[in-house]
Amino acid sequence: MPRGDKSSYTDKQKRQAKHIEEGYEHRGVKPKEAASRAWATVNKTTHGGKKSGSGRGRAENHAPERKGGRKGGITSHAGN
């Protein structure tokens, strides 16, 4: 399987990545960078592509999806 192959991902993961990518592009991020960030978010959330077999599932971590805008320096907290 070549690097970057998305065949091991579920349809849901592919839809998530497409939706996240569109959001980045709407905010002015270049398409290639938007795709890269979107797949990084999906991987962090769902722990990568899904493999078949009973009992191989893992709970999703939605923290990376909510993280945007929360990081910053002292000036980002000055209004509080």
Side-chain angles (χ1 to χ4, degrees), residues 17-41 68:
K18 184 67 177 162
H19 185 73
I20 295 167
E21 181 180 350
E22 288 170 358
Y24 277 126
E25 288 177 0
H26 181 72
R27 289 162 52 188
V29 178
K30 293 179 182 177
K32 191 172 181 180
E33 175 67 17
S36 177
R37 288 186 189 183
W39 281 107
T41 303

Side-chain angles (χ1 to χ4, degrees), residues 52-67:
S52 63
S54 178
R56 295 197 53 174
R58 235 174 121 183
E60 291 187 358
N61 174 21
H62 294 282
E65 298 165 5
R66 294 188 292 264
K67 188 171 78 174

Side-chain angles (χ1 to χ4, degrees), residues 6 9 17 20 24 33-48 64:
K6 306 294 188 232
Y9 289 90
I20 295 167
Y24 277 126
E33 175 67 17
S36 177
R37 288 186 189 183
W39 281 107
T41 303
V42 169
N43 284 334
K44 188 90 173 183
T45 302
T46 61
H47 311 291

